[in-house]
Every structure is written in C-alpha cells, then in structure tokens.
Amino acid sequence: MTVTIKDAEIREHLRERSVATLRRRTYISGVMTALCWLAITFAAVPLVAVIYQLLRRGIPVIVKSGFFTTLPQQPTIFDANNTGGVSNALVGSLAVIVYAALFAVPIGVLMGVYLAESTSKFASLLRIITATMVGAPSILMGLFAFEVVVQQMHVGFSIIAGSFGLAVLVLPVLATATEIAIRNVPSTYREAGLALGAKPSTTSLKIVLPAASTGIVSGIILALSRAVGETAPILLVIGGAYAIAWHPNQAASALPFQMFQDVQSNYPSLQNETWGIALVLVGAVFIISFAARLWAARKKKVQR
Amino acid sequence: MTSNTSTDLRQAAEGHRPSAASRGVYEYVVLSAAGLFAIISLYFVGSIVWQALPAIRHQGLYLLTGTSWVSGGATPALSKFGGLSMITGTIETSLIAIVIAVVVGTGTSLAINLLLPSWMRTIAATTVELLAAIPSVVYGVWGMLVLAPLVISTVGPFLNSLPGGNAVFGTVVAGQSLLLAGFVLAIMVLPTYVAISREVIGAVPHELIEASLSLGATRWQTIWKTILPTGRVGLLGAGALALGRALGETVAVVLVIGQVNQLNFRPLQPGVTLASWIASQWGEAIGSDQMNALFALGALLMAASLGVSFISTRLVSRQRSLVNR
Amino acid sequence: MTSVSGITDPQFEDPRLLPAAMSLRDVSVAFHGRVAVRDVTFDVPANRVTALIGPSGSGKTTLLRSLNRLHDLTKGASVSGTILLGDTDIYQGGIPTTVLRSRIGMVFQRPNPFPTMTIYENAVAGLRFNGVKKKSVLDAAAESALTSADLWDSVKQRLNAHAATLSGGEQQRLCIARALAVEPEVLLMDEPTSALDPISTKRIEELMVELKKRVTIVIVTHNMQQAARVSDLTAFLLMGEDRAGEQIEVSPTLKLFSAPEDQRTLDYIQGRFG
Ligand SMILES: Nc1ncnc2c1ncn2[C@@H]1O[C@H](COP(=O)(O)OP(=O)(O)O)[C@@H](O)[C@H]1O
Ligand SMILES: [Mg+2]
C-alpha cells in the first residue's frame, strides 16, 4: 500500500462524509430502534391474546356445574349443548403423569448426577446425546411408545404407554435440570467435604445433593407441569376412553387429548368446551411454575 | 461454632464412611441410570428405523418423491405412499416460522437488553418463559378457532387484493393454510429463540458496545456492526434450535394447516407436514403397511430434527466458549 | 512566561494559560442520586496531556466518561454542570452525540478491539461508522492511523489477520489507531496501560508525548510516575466525607509533584494514603 492521499485530505473527506450521512444514520437508527420496540410488542401480543380468549371463553365453561366431575357426553341434535364434563380426562392426565414421573424422575435425576460428576468420555458423549434428545419431536415419542409398550410388550393402548412416551420426553430435560442444579453448588462445598476425609460418594450424597435439592425439585416440577400439556406423545397410544380409568393397562383420555378431539368435532358446543380445558391446563402450568419459582427463591434466601 | 460444625461434619463423614462396596453401589447406580438412558436413546432411534424399513423396502424412493398416499388394503402391492407433500409442507411452514421468529425474536432480544429499563427486563424474561409454558394444543385451538376465521375474513382477502396477490399467495379458501401454520409455529418457537438470543446478546461484552459508540456509531450501527456479529454463532444456534422445534410440532399444525395431501407452494393454500400427517393418519394406519410408511416419515423427521438439534447445541456452546474466553 | 511558585525552570510554561480544548464548570456526576463526582472545574489545555490522578474510587473514570457522554448509556446516571468542547456545551443539544463522540475519541482500560474484525477493519471501523466508503481513503487512513499508533510496521504484512492474534500491547495500540483514525480533537484514555507489561507501557507513554502535537489528551492513571512522565497538567481527585470525588488541586504537573499547594496532594504523592 502506498500513500497517495494526505492526512489533510482524509480528514476533509471524513468530515464531509460524517456530516453528509449524519441525518441518514440517525434516521435509520431511529427507525430500527422503533422496529425493535415493535418486535417486543408483537412478541407480547399472542400471550395477551391467548390469555384473553382463555379467560373470556374458558371461565363460562369451567363454572358449568359438573365440568370437573362428570363424564363427557356426545351432543345430539336434540341437545346440541349437552357436552358433559372432563372427569375422565382429568383422572387420565393425573394417572399418565404420575406413572411417567415414577419412571422418569429417578432415572433422570440419577443420570443428571452422573453428568454433573463424571468427567469420563462416556459422560461427554451422553451430554451430547441428552442435548440432542431434548430437541427430538414429541410425536416420535408416540411412535416409540407404540412400538415398545403397545406392540412389543403387548400391553395395548393404555395409560402406561402414554406415560412411557412422556417419560422419554422429559428424561433429558430432568437430567439437564439436575446437572445444572448440581453444578450451581459452589465447589467449596464439595472441597470441604473431601477435605474432611469423606469419600466422594458420601460428599455427593450428604453435602452436594442436599445443597442442590431445591434446584432439582423445582426443575422436576417445571418439567412435569409442562409434560401434562403435551398431546403428541400420548395421542397415538392412550386409546381414548369415555370412562374413568387409572389402571396402567387401561385405555384412557387426557386433558390435551380431549381438547384435540373436541376441537375437531362438528359441534360448536364441543369446540367451545376446549377453551375450558385449555384454561385448566394453562392455569395449572402457570400456577405450578410460579409457585415452584417462588418456593425456590424463598429457599435460597433462607439458606444464605 | 465453626469448629463445632466441622467436628460434626467430620463425625458425620466418619460415621457414614462407606465401605468399598457401598461406594461402588452409589457409582454403579448413577452410572446405570446414565447407561439406561443411552440404551433408551439408541432403542428409540433403532425402533423407529426398524418399523420404517418395510416401507422403505417396498416404496423405495417413492417415499421421498411421490405425491399420492393410497393404501392397497388387503393387497399391499397396490399401496402407494409418497411423502413429497409432507416434506415440502414441513419445509415451507418451518421456513415461514423461522423467518418470523428470527426477525421478531432478535428485535425482542435487542429491546430487552438495550431498550427496556432493568426492572422490566425480568418481567419480559418471565413473560417469554410463560409463552413457552403454554401447551401446543392450546396454540392450535387458538389458531383454529380465532386466527383461521381472521384469515378468511381479513388477511386472505387483503393479500389477494394486492397486485399479483392471487398468483403469489394463492386464493384464500379456508383459513387453515401453510401461512397460518407457519405463523402459529413462529409464535410457538419464538420463546425458544428469544431464551437463547437474549442470553447471547446480553453476553456481548459491554466494552465492545462502548468502543463502538465512542467512535461515533449510532445505536443501530453498534447493533449491526458490533453486537450481532459478535453473537452470530449463538444466534445461529438459537435459530437452529427453533427450527428443530418447528419441524417436529404436531398437534397445533394439524389444527391450522388444513391437512390436505397436496403439493402446494402458495402460502394461503392448505397443506400437510410430516408430523401432522403421522398424527392424522394414525388411526386408520395401525397394523397395516401404511403404519410402516408413517414410521418412515417419522424416521425422516427424526433424522432432520436430531441433526438440527445436534448442530444447534454445538453452535450455542461454541458461542458460550467464545464469549467466556 | 509567568512564574509559578516553586518552579525555577526557565523553559517552563503554565498549561493553564494555554487555549482550552475543553472546559469543565461545576461538573457533578451521580448514579441513582448518589454523587460520585462533585463540582469539578478546570480547563483542558489544547495539545497537551492532562492527567487525572487520585485513589481508586475517587471518580476518575466517572469524570472521564462524562466528557464524551458515555454515561448516557448507564441507567440512573446523571451529569450536571457545564462541559464545553471549544465553545459548544456538549450536554445542551448543540451537538449530536454521535458527532461529539467522533470528535472526542476514547481508549479503554482493557484493550477492546472488535474481535470479529480484522486489524484493517478495526482501524477503519470509525471511518465506516461515519459514512466513509471510498477504498482509497480507507486504505490511506488505516496506514496513517496505524503509523501514528506505532503499529504499522509490525502489522502491514497481516492487515487481514484477526485482531485477537495481536499481543495485548499491540491490541491497545490498535485501539489507539482506531480512535485516531476518526481524527478526534480530544483523546480520552482510561488507564490505558494498566493491563500491559512494562515495555508495552513505555511505548504507549512515548506515543502519547508524540501524539499531543495533533490531539489533546486526557488520561486517567493511578500510576503517579506515569502522570509525572507524560502529562503537562495534573488534576488530583479525592473522595470527600460522603465518598464523592472532589477536585483537590489542578496544577501544572511539574509543580504538583514538586511543590503541591494542598497538604492532601502532598500526602497522596508521598504515598501516605490511597
Ligand atoms: N455505573 C455505575 N453505577 C453506580 N455507581 C458507579 C458506577 N460507576 C461508578 N460508580 C461509582 O462511582 C465511584 C467512582 O468510581 P470510578 O469513577 O470508577 O473511580 P476511579 O476510576 O477513580 O477508580 C465509585 O464509588 C463507584 O462505585
Ligand atoms: Mg477507573
């Protein structure tokens, strides 16, 4: 590079350009800033809109007598508003999630402990697998549950098949939450334990895990409360039933399952009913996650 | 007090000093949980591929290139299962979703980090998490009962009234369409994208922002030339993560896309995706060769979404190590 | 030349009598109502080096950042008083912030080249922000600025290498070049050598003495030797009772380090506190 332009020329060109482009630069910056405001408004609109609809159309549904306690009815041409309730779906959802938790929580938490504590090659491979599995589409869990539980185990369409699908879905989430909670425990805790002569396993069980328990428990609650709203993993295998069922081998309904069915029916009254179920689902998830967060924050304060 | 506690701890440690065997038990239990998950993951991939094999054997390339989906019933030789419409529908809706989510999500993250007062930042972050907690079937119901009528009454006619609107967007017939599916998906993956991009943009060192401003850059020049380039790897990862979610979403799409097995390329036309086709055909397919074909679509979806998911986690962790250097 | 008590050097000029590049009048800065710097008043002589010294927390950085309105970014920060650049009050809307910041450059405590840009792109980043697109001008400006920052010879072969490949001292000189390329009238430097080794520090100190021919420099340092070596005028800040930084003494450097007017200055330079 050979300099043919003098410093004075550079300076003059710079000042000239700076002044000439100032208005445009300022204007573009203003417009783009406004667009960022617009973006965040746009992002908030669906939440407000959905919640508004849930409350406006959902509340009349859930205050209807028998909504929570009676079985669903098929509307007829004589009584188009005869939709009944969701008692079976409510029981089914609870049963599905409880069985899923029984399977997924112990494995997920133990596996999270392993991921947090091990430095082996297998652990780093498993971390990659876990992160990848978090992104697996939930409909595939339905196919998997069908293959394993319905076909290979000859259980048939059942609550337990749905639980299996949900469990596989939440396993990597639980493991990751546990791993993070344990990693957030200050390393001095572990060092103190080891310095006192405790075995690594004792240190983990008696010092590290108790310190991480708040994070682990709130992680479990958040993951499970979200799993209750999942439709795809149970859609293919739960069978759908118009009776109360909680035995693992029975076919059953579930809240999101029933929503999915009802909204596709030809009866406006059944379609409308889905707003009530949606309100129950969303309300439950919001309240539970909020309570879990509050509890975790409170716990943390006490510990300090 | 302090010495007391440490004596207690020591006693506790000694009292529970595990024998070699019990130490083995703890590690064995933890390892076997991890091993079980690894086996489940492998079995997950294996069984979907396994069930897909018969369809792959019989249909061959037609699975990827064919457009008709007819079951031969008792004579499987007559079955034709082509997945092209599902593949294109998946790509189209995901593309619409990801473009909207990346543009709106990046703007949102910039606003949260640079424009909002700090007390509102926490509120915004919680709001984003709440959006992510709403079950997908709820978005589907909302899209079907609230948005689809809007597409028929307002959005569709408006787009059609634009010059060339019919040619570009297709003529609106029902509210359920590729466009509506893409839009609903965008709303659903937005929290995923914002959760990561907010973190990425927040982690851009403040010194760089100040360096940029101190040279006379405007706010937007600072964003465009400094903040976004510094975070580009992580933003790409966030986009990939959101894409993975959009590819595999099922029930919401079933309710808003129209579920028509047609090779459509105009946004206002109805369509179908891999996941939504699996869900909607499932009832009649169980036990037949059609079921294997649905598993084959599932295997394709699995390859795409696990691939995207893998790439996205790599990108996000690379960004983290870049910034924490 | 006027006589300043305690200075006998016949060559001595009093920087306070020179034309001012910037003037500070009763400048105070507060964060969320808590005052960090109070009532600072002095003139920054043009084409000289002015040093801000004082113990850690005395508000040196805070004062420096008020000079190019960098506090505008900080929520809860407020600046009062008057700061003039030439005759323009920089806080009274007489000058857009972007223009102000292109006329007053800044070098930070830790080298902060843009990591996604090459050496060349870093050097011309400010020109591009200011709308310069012409390749020939950018090339010439890059060479000129990198030469002024004493970096040209070592990087001219690898202008397209990433800035992160440079050593710490080189990175800081790149940051100086980046600031100089915009041809600022004033260059603010916040402890520019505190993250560097002694050799790099020496080169940057020599550079400052060289640079004052074309730019007015205000440097924050808590290294008193450095202030004594490079500056012409020194302002000494100290926390008052309420921990707000106050100006104790602004004197020609020679005088401040040999015969300070204030007892607290003497205590400080003799290392009795801070
Ligand atoms: N962004 C900020 N918010 C609140 N207080 C600040 C901020 N920046 C500086 N301060 C306060 O201002 C005082 C002076 O700080 P600073 O200017 O960094 O001192 P120095 O550079 O002399 O070491 C300190 O008490 C510091 O806590
Ligand atoms: Mg400082």
Side-chain angles (χ1 to χ4, degrees):
Chain A
M1 211 189 294
T2 46
V3 180
T4 51
I5 302 176
K6 297 216 173 58
D7 281 0
E9 289 173 56
I10 300 175
R11 192 169 313 146
E12 195 175 317
H13 185 78
L14 170 63
R15 289 283 161 259
E16 186 192 306
R17 293 295 300 159
S18 180
V19 171
T21 57
L22 179 64
R23 268 186 60 176
R24 212 181 113 238
R25 286 189 287 140
T26 317
Y27 179 74
I28 291 177
S29 190
V31 169
M32 296 315 281
T33 305
L35 286 179
C36 287
W37 281 115
L38 193 69
I40 195 170
T41 313
F42 182 86
V45 164
L47 183 69
V48 176
V50 169
I51 290 177
Y52 168 75
Q53 294 287 350
L54 285 179
L55 295 176
R56 192 172 74 96
R57 304 207 203 175
I59 289 178
V61 175
I62 63 170
V63 297
K64 210 174 53 176
S65 85
F67 177 73
F68 291 104
T69 52
T70 60
L71 290 171
Q73 305 279 326
Q74 191 64 35
T76 60
I77 43 169
F78 305 111
D79 187 359
N81 291 324
N82 175 29
T83 57
V86 294
S87 61
N88 61 330
L90 200 61
V91 173
S93 267
L94 285 175
V96 169
I97 199 67
V98 166
Y99 298 135
L102 289 178
F103 179 66
V105 170
I107 299 177
V109 171
L110 288 171
M111 175 188 154
V113 173
Y114 176 76
L115 289 180
E117 296 190 342
S118 175
T119 50
S120 67
K121 272 216 176 102
F122 177 60
S124 41
L125 177 69
L126 200 63
R127 247 171 245 130
I128 296 174
I129 295 179
T130 309
T132 309
M133 284 295 279
V134 170
S138 54
I139 185 78
L140 297 182
M141 304 307 166
L143 291 179
F144 184 41
F146 176 82
E147 171 64 12
V148 172
V149 183
V150 178
Q151 298 222 120
Q152 294 177 3
M153 294 165 70
H154 303 291
V155 180
F157 296 92
S158 57
I159 293 178
I160 196 70
S163 300
F164 181 81
L166 279 189
V168 178
L169 189 74
V170 296
L171 256 178
V173 182
L174 293 175
T176 313
T178 306
E179 186 188 355
I180 291 173
I182 293 177
R183 284 182 192 278
N184 281 344
V185 175
S187 59
T188 47
Y189 280 46
R190 188 184 298 276
E191 282 152 16
L194 294 174
L196 288 169
K199 287 266 163 61
S201 54
T202 315
T203 311
S204 296
L205 282 171
K206 301 272 168 193
I207 300 175
V208 181
L209 277 182
S213 62
T214 308
I216 296 175
V217 171
S218 64
I220 292 172
I221 294 173
L222 289 180
L224 292 181
S225 71
R226 283 187 189 192
V228 175
E230 284 284 349
T231 316
I234 57 175
L235 181 65
L236 310 184
V237 294
I238 198 169
Y242 285 100
I244 300 247
W246 61 73
H247 191 277
N249 289 351
Q250 285 177 307
S253 181
L255 292 172
F257 180 85
Q258 188 165 342
M259 266 186 85
F260 187 65
Q261 301 292 330
D262 287 356
V263 79
Q264 296 183 83
S265 90
N266 293 323
Y267 289 95
S269 57
L270 267 185
Q271 289 191 342
N272 193 51
E273 172 122 339
T274 58
W275 290 108
I277 310 178
L279 179 60
V280 173
L281 276 178
V282 173
V285 178
F286 279 13
I287 291 171
I288 292 173
S289 9
F290 193 71
R293 240 167 265 264
L294 214 65
W295 172 77
R298 171 103 35 98
K299 253 323 225 304
K300 223 177 198 171
K301 229 179 245 165
V302 172
Q303 275 175 2
R304 283 217 187 101
Chain B
M1 175 65 208
T2 325
S3 67
N4 235 345
T5 317
S6 64
T7 330
D8 287 351
L9 270 177
R10 190 179 323 220
Q11 278 167 355
E14 271 162 16
H16 293 274
R17 169 154 298 171
S19 62
S22 79
R23 179 182 156 207
V25 166
Y26 171 78
E27 267 143 29
Y28 175 77
V29 166
V30 171
L31 176 65
S32 52
L36 184 58
F37 177 73
I39 292 170
I40 291 175
S41 302
L42 283 179
Y43 203 69
F44 165 72
V45 175
S47 41
I48 286 173
V49 172
W50 178 252
Q51 282 290 351
L53 282 179
I56 296 172
R57 216 175 293 127
H58 288 121
Q59 302 289 332
L61 264 188
Y62 190 79
L63 269 171
L64 300 180
T65 56
T67 52
S68 48
W69 189 279
V70 281
S71 169
T75 28
L78 296 179
S79 292
K80 287 178 87 176
F81 300 122
L84 187 60
S85 314
M86 299 86 194
I87 296 171
T88 51
T90 304
I91 295 174
E92 286 159 358
T93 50
S94 301
L95 221 60
I96 296 173
I98 214 67
V99 167
I100 298 176
V102 166
V103 171
V104 174
T106 308
T108 302
S109 297
L110 287 169
I112 291 177
N113 276 301
L114 306 176
L115 303 179
L116 289 186
S118 49
W119 63 270
M120 272 184 74
R121 256 179 245 176
T122 345
I123 298 179
T126 319
T127 308
V128 170
E129 277 175 36
L130 287 184
L131 270 169
I134 296 178
S136 51
V137 65
V138 174
Y139 284 111
V141 166
W142 178 63
M144 177 176 167
L145 299 183
V146 178
L147 296 184
L150 272 181
V151 174
I152 302 180
S153 68
T154 317
V155 181
F158 168 74
L159 291 177
N160 283 156
S161 72
L162 298 174
N166 284 311
V168 176
F169 296 104
T171 308
V172 61
V173 274
Q176 277 108 327
S177 55
L178 294 166
L179 180 67
L180 183 59
F183 183 77
V184 170
L185 281 175
I187 292 172
M188 296 179 65
V189 301
L190 191 64
T192 310
Y193 181 80
V194 171
I196 308 276
S197 64
R198 191 172 65 87
E199 183 205 330
V200 167
I201 288 172
V204 171
H206 208 249
E207 308 136 44
L208 295 181
I209 298 174
E210 292 185 343
S212 171
L213 291 170
S214 76
L215 292 169
T218 62
R219 170 153 49 203
W220 179 249
Q221 285 176 318
T222 301
I223 290 171
W224 192 246
K225 295 287 181 191
T226 305
I227 297 178
L228 296 183
T230 308
R232 64 180 176 226
V233 175
L235 294 177
L236 213 61
L241 203 66
L243 175 65
R245 292 212 46 196
L247 288 174
E249 176 51 43
T250 310
V251 288
V253 175
V254 172
L255 299 178
V256 296
I257 200 171
Q259 286 300 111
V260 180
N261 178 20
Q262 280 170 7
L263 197 57
N264 284 335
F265 296 98
R266 301 200 169 84
L268 285 174
Q269 293 176 316
V272 65
T273 68
L274 291 166
S276 74
W277 194 244
I278 296 172
S280 65
Q281 293 304 108
W282 186 250
E284 67 176 66
I286 296 167
S288 72
D289 59 341
Q290 188 183 170
M291 188 184 81
N292 298 112
L294 293 180
F295 267 96
L297 298 188
L300 191 63
L301 175 61
M302 180 170 71
S305 60
L306 292 191
V308 168
S309 173
F310 176 76
I311 291 170
S312 71
T313 53
R314 298 286 88 189
L315 288 174
V316 171
S317 64
R318 210 175 100 203
Q319 174 79 37
R320 290 201 177 110
S321 60
L322 275 182
V323 173
N324 298 334
R325 203 171 28 179
Chain C
M1 290 285 142
T2 28
S3 71
V4 173
S5 65
I7 309 273
T8 48
D9 184 348
Q11 295 287 302
F12 176 77
E13 59 158 25
D14 188 341
R16 290 173 296 186
L17 303 175
L18 295 169
M22 297 189 81
S23 306
L24 291 73
R25 295 284 171 270
D26 302 322
V27 176
S28 300
V29 186
F31 296 105
H32 299 286
R34 211 184 126 257
V35 181
V37 173
R38 174 176 301 123
D39 292 341
V40 172
T41 299
F42 66 87
D43 285 349
V44 176
N47 295 94
R48 291 294 179 275
V49 177
T50 301
L52 301 179
I53 65 166
S56 182
S58 58
K60 306 180 295 293
T61 300
T62 303
L63 182 63
L64 192 77
R65 289 159 65 92
S66 68
L67 301 184
N68 67 345
R69 296 191 61 162
L70 221 45
H71 290 308
D72 288 16
L73 304 182
T74 316
K75 284 160 187 136
S78 64
V79 179
S80 62
T82 309
I83 300 176
L84 302 179
L85 173 65
D87 337 308
T88 317
D89 186 334
I90 65 170
Y91 280 92
Q92 292 304 318
I95 178 169
T97 337
T98 50
V99 175
L100 172 77
R101 295 201 186 114
S102 67
R103 287 174 61 185
I104 303 181
M106 191 161 203
V107 175
F108 297 79
Q109 194 162 350
R110 284 209 334 205
N112 58 355
F114 298 119
T116 53
M117 296 185 192
T118 63
I119 295 171
Y120 175 86
E121 288 166 341
N122 265 284
V124 301
L127 285 105
R128 286 188 167 150
F129 286 144
N130 280 284
V132 177
K133 289 210 180 74
K134 237 188 211 170
K135 181 92 168 68
S136 57
V137 176
L138 293 175
D139 287 351
E143 177 169 350
S144 163
L146 287 166
T147 308
S148 304
D150 190 17
L151 195 60
W152 176 251
D153 287 331
S154 58
V155 302
K156 64 183 173 198
Q157 302 299 338
R158 47 179 175 142
L159 289 173
N160 290 324
H162 270 266
T165 59
L166 297 174
S167 73
E170 288 172 326
Q171 288 190 14
Q172 191 63 305
R173 274 181 280 138
L174 178 59
C175 292
I176 295 176
R178 181 176 69 183
L180 288 177
V182 193
E183 302 281 356
E185 295 151 47
V186 180
L187 186 61
L188 310 176
M189 304 177 104
D190 188 0
E191 305 201 26
T193 62
S194 67
L196 304 182
D197 60 275
I199 294 171
S200 306
T201 300
K202 185 155 177 284
R203 283 184 84 166
I204 287 182
E205 286 181 4
E206 287 164 3
L207 194 58
M208 277 187 257
V209 176
E210 191 62 30
L211 283 175
K212 68 181 177 185
K213 287 175 201 146
R214 59 190 260 211
V215 59
T216 303
I217 295 178
V218 184
I219 177 178
V220 166
T221 175
H222 64 227
N223 176 341
M224 280 178 283
Q225 285 77 24
Q226 182 167 66
R229 280 194 297 266
V230 301
S231 73
D232 303 283
L233 183 73
T234 299
F236 172 52
L237 303 184
L238 191 63
M239 291 91 100
E241 307 244 290
D242 59 350
R243 306 203 55 78
E246 285 166 2
Q247 153 189 3
I248 302 299
E249 178 171 353
V250 181
S251 295
T253 302
L254 267 177
K255 173 169 159 44
L256 189 130
F257 283 101
S258 56
E261 276 160 15
D262 198 290
Q263 179 61 33
R264 288 168 293 182
T265 315
L266 189 64
D267 290 344
Y268 181 68
I269 61 178
Q270 292 183 345
R272 284 197 207 128
F273 61 90

Coordinates of all heavy atoms in Angstrom, one line a residue, chain B residues 158-171 266 268:
Chain B
F158 N -57.1 -9.5 2.0 CA -56.2 -8.4 1.8 C -55.0 -8.8 1.0 O -54.6 -8.1 0.0 CB -55.7 -7.9 3.2 CG -54.5 -7.0 3.1 CD1 -54.6 -5.7 2.7 CD2 -53.2 -7.5 3.4 CE1 -53.5 -4.9 2.6 CE2 -52.1 -6.7 3.3 CZ -52.2 -5.3 2.9
L159 N -54.4 -10.0 1.3 CA -53.3 -10.4 0.5 C -53.7 -10.7 -1.0 O -52.9 -10.4 -1.9 CB -52.7 -11.7 1.1 CG -52.0 -11.6 2.4 CD1 -51.6 -13.0 2.9 CD2 -50.8 -10.7 2.3
N160 N -54.9 -11.2 -1.2 CA -55.4 -11.4 -2.6 C -55.6 -10.1 -3.3 O -55.6 -10.0 -4.5 CB -56.6 -12.2 -2.6 CG -56.3 -13.7 -2.3 OD1 -57.2 -14.5 -1.9 ND2 -55.1 -14.1 -2.6
S161 N -55.9 -9.0 -2.6 CA -56.2 -7.7 -3.2 C -54.9 -7.0 -3.7 O -55.0 -6.1 -4.5 CB -57.0 -6.8 -2.3 OG -56.1 -6.4 -1.3
L162 N -53.8 -7.5 -3.2 CA -52.5 -6.9 -3.6 C -52.3 -7.2 -5.1 O -52.8 -8.3 -5.6 CB -51.4 -7.4 -2.8 CG -51.4 -7.1 -1.3 CD1 -50.3 -7.8 -0.6 CD2 -51.3 -5.6 -1.0
P163 N -51.6 -6.4 -5.8 CA -51.3 -6.8 -7.2 C -50.5 -8.1 -7.3 O -49.5 -8.3 -6.6 CB -50.4 -5.6 -7.7 CG -50.0 -4.8 -6.5 CD -51.0 -5.1 -5.4
G164 N -51.1 -9.0 -8.1 CA -50.5 -10.4 -8.2 C -50.7 -11.2 -7.0 O -50.1 -12.2 -6.8
G165 N -51.6 -10.8 -6.1 CA -51.8 -11.4 -4.8 C -52.3 -12.9 -5.0 O -51.9 -13.8 -4.2
N166 N -53.1 -13.1 -5.9 CA -53.6 -14.5 -6.1 C -52.5 -15.4 -6.6 O -52.4 -16.5 -6.2 CB -54.7 -14.5 -7.2 CG -56.0 -14.0 -6.5 OD1 -56.4 -14.4 -5.5 ND2 -56.7 -13.0 -7.2
A167 N -51.7 -14.9 -7.5 CA -50.6 -15.7 -8.1 C -49.5 -16.0 -7.0 O -49.1 -17.2 -6.9 CB -49.9 -15.0 -9.2
V168 N -49.2 -15.1 -6.2 CA -48.2 -15.3 -5.2 C -48.7 -16.1 -4.0 O -48.0 -17.0 -3.6 CB -47.6 -13.9 -4.7 CG1 -46.5 -14.1 -3.6 CG2 -47.0 -13.2 -5.9
F169 N -49.8 -15.6 -3.4 CA -50.2 -16.2 -2.2 C -51.2 -17.3 -2.4 O -51.5 -18.1 -1.4 CB -50.9 -15.1 -1.3 CG -49.9 -14.1 -0.8 CD1 -49.9 -12.8 -1.4 CD2 -49.0 -14.3 0.1 CE1 -49.1 -11.8 -1.0 CE2 -48.1 -13.4 0.5 CZ -48.1 -12.1 -0.1
G170 N -51.8 -17.4 -3.5 CA -52.9 -18.4 -3.7 C -54.2 -17.8 -3.3 O -54.2 -16.9 -2.5
T171 N -55.3 -18.3 -3.8 CA -56.6 -17.7 -3.4 C -57.1 -18.4 -2.1 O -57.0 -19.6 -1.9 CB -57.6 -18.0 -4.5 OG1 -57.1 -17.6 -5.8 CG2 -58.9 -17.3 -4.3
R266 N -48.2 -22.2 -2.4 CA -48.6 -20.8 -2.1 C -49.1 -20.8 -0.7 O -49.9 -21.7 -0.3 CB -49.7 -20.4 -3.1 CG -49.2 -20.5 -4.6 CD -50.1 -19.7 -5.5 NE -49.3 -19.6 -6.8 CZ -49.4 -20.6 -7.7 NH1 -50.1 -21.6 -7.5 NH2 -48.7 -20.5 -8.8
L268 N -51.4 -19.3 1.1 CA -52.7 -19.3 1.5 C -53.4 -20.7 1.2 O -54.6 -20.9 1.5 CB -53.6 -18.2 0.9 CG -53.3 -16.8 1.5 CD1 -54.0 -15.7 0.7 CD2 -53.7 -16.8 3.0

